[in-house]
Amino acid sequence: MREEARQLDTPSVVLDTLGDWKKTHDCNTLGLDHVGRDVIVMGWVQRRRDHGGLIFVDLRDREGITQVVFDPQADALSHERAHALRSEFVIAVRGTVRRRPEGMTNPKLKTGEIEVLVHELRILNVAKTPPFHIEDDTEASESIRLKYRYLDLRRPLMQRNLLLRHRAAFLTRNYFAEHAFVEVETPVLTKSTPEGARDYLVPSRVNPGKFYALPQSPQIFKQLLMVAGFERYMQIVKCFRDEDLRADRQPEFTQLDLEMSFVGEQDVFTLIEGWIVRLFRELLGVDLPTPFPRMSYAEAMSRYGTDRPDTRFGLELVDLTEIVKDCDFRVFRQALENGGLVKSICLPGGSRLSRKDLDELIEYVQGFGAKGMAWIKVQPEGWQSPITKFLSEEVRRAMAEATGAAPGDILFFVADQPRVVHESLGNLRNRLARQMNLVDSHTFQFCWVTHFPLLEWDPDEKRYVAVHHPFTAPLEEDLPLLDEAPEKVRSRAYDLVLNGTEIGGGSIRIHRRDIQNKMFNALGIGPQEAEEKFGFLLDALQYGAPPHGGIAFGFDRLMMIMSGASSIRDVIAFPKTQKGTCLMSGAPSEADIQQLLELCIRVETEGR
């Protein structure tokens, strides 16, 4: 079973083949009930410890670790060869399971009560010294980990993450199959869309000068499947967006995509809650109460300053506009005269914050457009703040009653236009929760946010744009406003938020051509442009399109939260960096000149 030695880092090591050996157990299943049994285990050398007469090796595979022992009295040749073993060598051993000596058990390992006494060793491959230790608590930088991703993926933490993802995908397919969904693959090469993030374009060699686009979402195709009568569609699908990246974004990402015919919002909510409950119960052992709380977009913005509210803690925004409208504080008065509002956050126990702390918080909210932020410390001896002299006793009493402020607390105020107030205080609220340790990281709080605005004004493009996408249906009672006051129209859109992160979003769709045309008109998309870009959808809506709706979930983002990872890169096998590059393979790379000529493409980089 031996091969000629290979001249890698260890020229003296003679390599073996597997021959007729078959793995009998993985490295995480052997226990006391296997004592006395002959087994064959295989994997990577985690570490080797030479204790003079005995050599101990921690053997690792994707399931865990088993300690194997080389004893010259059991097999002298294997013991001699074991001296050459180094970290990450690939080996197979045949031996007998035995109980570890008293006092030598390892309670941290599932296999910590036993060991395998080796009778034969086969060295299947050698390994260079890895650039970092294959352990959970590695000190290697992320760039090094991504460059050697195939080694990083050997770490137990990364393997647990990807195995969790595998089980989640398996459970997801089973759950939706039980609910009569059909999995259909939609095209990867499709047509560029005018809304949303930038598309990745793919040149067509057989159609010179023309391009496909990689899909940002299968949105139109899943709607067409509803027109086609499939009624319930699902897909775990790759999507692509050429946009700036963050910790929870990737240029290529995976989403769970769903669409259903003859449903309303409540049908979607009930179905999705059942899926989420099953995932968390079977994968994490967490039982979630249902139904999940629901709130409108307007309520979420009013109470939390964001449409992605983290409901694990309080610190809700309180509107003080009516209370302070007649006070003498100029900042408040000017904001209200310009159509703004005044809101506050009460931080319990916050009066202990230093002036340096307060200055840092003021600078923080200024990053979200606020001109400044006022504060009041509620002390037992009275209110302490530069602005208290402008507030009457009556106003102070009303403030305290509205905010629930008590001695030892601090009040923060922002006065400005609603968007600035909400963005500033909404982000301040999250920062204060982290800073004051108000968040229980082991708690999962879901909520549905509904009735988003259908459209919003884009000052750069000087037109209305869709808040979600142009196929979202308006609330029926708001439909008359679509022509005269588009900014007041509420949509039948909904997002599912988990711990302050949006993990899924969807809507009931427009299923009538006349309403879809009205929507395009409100977006400034004329009949000719609509026909050119969406003609096939508009035609389909004329052939008996049923009422339908759906939702899509960021599968990477959901797995990140469930695994406790800080980045979606830790739940994706081969992710890109924040600049969209693959440090391991070198993608993206320059194309060969012959490829460019065949595609009729000329690359010009000057001036960029």
Side-chain angles (χ1 to χ4, degrees), residues 2 16 21 34-41 55 59 67-82 91-98 115-123:
R2 303 281 169 81
D16 307 308
W21 278 21
H34 296 92
V35 169
R37 186 178 300 183
D38 287 338
V39 298
I40 296 175
V41 289
I55 295 175
L59 188 63
Q67 178 173 281
V68 300
V69 184
F70 297 88
D71 186 335
Q73 295 183 0
D75 185 71
L77 178 58
S78 293
H79 178 268
E80 179 62 30
R81 298 186 71 208
I91 66 172
V93 299
R94 181 179 59 81
T96 303
V97 180
R98 70 181 187 184
E115 59 191 15
V116 176
L117 178 64
V118 177
H119 299 307
E120 185 177 352
L121 165 67
R122 292 186 181 179
I123 302 176

Side-chain angles (χ1 to χ4, degrees), residues 50-336:
D50 193 335
H51 288 189
L54 300 178
I55 295 175
F56 296 89
V57 166
D58 289 340
L59 188 63
R60 185 194 74 243
D61 65 11
R62 78 176 192 192
E63 302 298 334
I65 289 176
T66 292
Q67 178 173 281
V68 300
V69 184
F70 297 88
D71 186 335
Q73 295 183 0
D75 185 71
L77 178 58
S78 293
H79 178 268
E80 179 62 30
R81 298 186 71 208
H83 284 91
L85 298 181
R86 297 293 183 269
S87 176
E88 300 309 306
F89 275 31
V90 186
I91 66 172
V93 299
R94 181 179 59 81
T96 303
V97 180
R98 70 181 187 184
R99 183 190 294 266
R100 291 199 193 189
E102 188 173 347
M104 302 296 290
T105 59
N106 185 349
K108 295 181 180 179
L109 293 180
K110 187 177 177 182
T111 60
E113 293 184 292
I114 59 90
E115 59 191 15
V116 176
L117 178 64
V118 177
H119 299 307
E120 185 177 352
L121 165 67
R122 292 186 181 179
I123 302 176
L124 305 176
N125 213 341
V126 295
K128 294 173 63 176
T129 301
F132 51 86
H133 293 297
I134 310 300
E135 297 175 343
D136 284 350
D137 296 327
T138 180
E139 295 182 356
S141 66
E142 186 179 49
S143 61
I144 292 295
R145 289 173 47 217
L146 291 179
K147 181 177 180 180
Y148 297 95
R149 188 61 164 182
Y150 44 85
L151 296 179
D152 190 41
L153 289 175
R154 291 183 188 174
R155 292 194 301 131
L157 173 65
M158 295 301 299
Q159 296 205 337
R160 285 196 299 272
N161 287 352
L162 291 187
L163 289 172
L164 176 75
R165 182 183 180 121
H166 157 71
R167 292 193 294 269
F170 183 80
L171 286 170
T172 295
R173 284 191 166 95
N174 282 350
Y175 176 82
F176 287 104
E178 291 169 10
H179 288 79
F181 280 78
V182 178
E183 185 163 8
V184 181
E185 296 177 349
T186 51
V188 174
L189 297 177
T190 183
K191 191 173 184 178
S192 183
T193 57
E195 300 286 331
R198 294 184 180 90
D199 290 321
Y200 279 101
L201 298 179
V202 180
S204 171
R205 182 183 60 81
V206 295
N207 297 283
K210 294 186 177 181
F211 296 80
Y212 300 103
L214 301 181
Q216 297 182 34
S217 163
Q219 181 62 44
I220 294 179
F221 290 104
K222 66 180 182 177
Q223 290 190 242
L224 292 174
L225 286 169
M226 298 303 101
V227 178
F230 281 88
E231 295 195 20
R232 291 196 163 201
Y233 143 92
M234 68 82 63
Q235 187 180 188
I236 297 178
V237 60
K238 278 283 191 180
C239 299
F240 308 84
R241 290 179 186 170
D242 189 6
E243 60 185 358
D244 296 335
L245 306 177
R246 298 196 300 264
D248 61 347
R249 296 227 177 138
Q250 283 278 294
E252 56 176 315
F253 57 96
T254 303
Q255 70 180 38
L256 168 64
D257 204 52
L258 305 169
E259 199 75 11
M260 295 159 275
S261 295
F262 310 113
V263 295
E265 290 88 336
Q266 184 57 51
D267 301 297
V268 178
F269 296 166
T270 300
L271 177 83
I272 294 304
E273 288 174 7
W275 167 62
I276 291 288
V277 165
R278 181 177 294 187
L279 279 187
F280 276 73
R281 179 189 299 131
E282 297 197 20
L283 297 182
L284 301 183
V286 173
D287 286 316
L288 299 171
T290 56
F292 298 159
R294 288 124 198 227
M295 69 181 74
S296 68
Y297 169 87
E299 180 185 356
M301 296 301 294
S302 176
R303 293 173 57 189
Y304 301 100
T306 177
D307 57 8
R308 304 179 304 279
D310 191 337
T311 57
R312 290 175 293 176
F313 56 93
L315 304 187
E316 294 188 19
L317 282 58
V318 179
D319 193 338
L320 301 178
T321 301
E322 284 299 312
I323 293 174
V324 303
K325 65 181 181 181
D326 296 322
C327 77
D328 295 329
F329 187 39
R330 182 171 54 85
V331 173
F332 289 175
R333 192 171 61 249
Q334 287 181 343
L336 299 182

Side-chain angles (χ1 to χ4, degrees), residues 429-440:
R429 175 180 178 271
N430 290 331
R431 171 165 172 155
L432 290 173
R434 293 190 300 269
Q435 186 172 326
M436 306 298 286
N437 295 317
L438 302 179
V439 181
D440 181 357

Side-chain angles (χ1 to χ4, degrees), residues 454-455 469-470 482 510 515-523:
L454 183 69
L455 307 169
H469 56 62
L482 196 54
I510 298 171
I515 297 177
Q516 188 63 71
N517 282 332
K518 285 174 69 72
M519 180 67 165
F520 285 150
N521 185 62
L523 292 168

Side-chain angles (χ1 to χ4, degrees), residues 332-392:
F332 289 175
R333 192 171 61 249
Q334 287 181 343
L336 299 182
E337 288 173 354
N338 292 323
L341 49 80
V342 179
K343 285 196 170 185
S344 174
I345 288 177
C346 177
L347 177 63
S351 63
R352 64 178 182 270
L353 293 175
S354 68
R355 187 54 193 258
K356 179 176 179 294
D357 294 330
L358 295 175
D359 288 342
E360 289 176 354
L361 294 175
I362 291 171
E363 183 178 355
Y364 178 73
V365 299
Q366 287 175 331
F368 299 99
K371 301 178 183 66
M373 180 174 67
W375 52 267
I376 295 175
K377 289 186 176 182
V378 182
Q379 306 287 27
E381 62 274 12
W383 286 24
Q384 177 189 338
S385 169
I387 74 168
T388 53
K389 59 186 176 184
F390 301 107
L391 306 175
S392 67

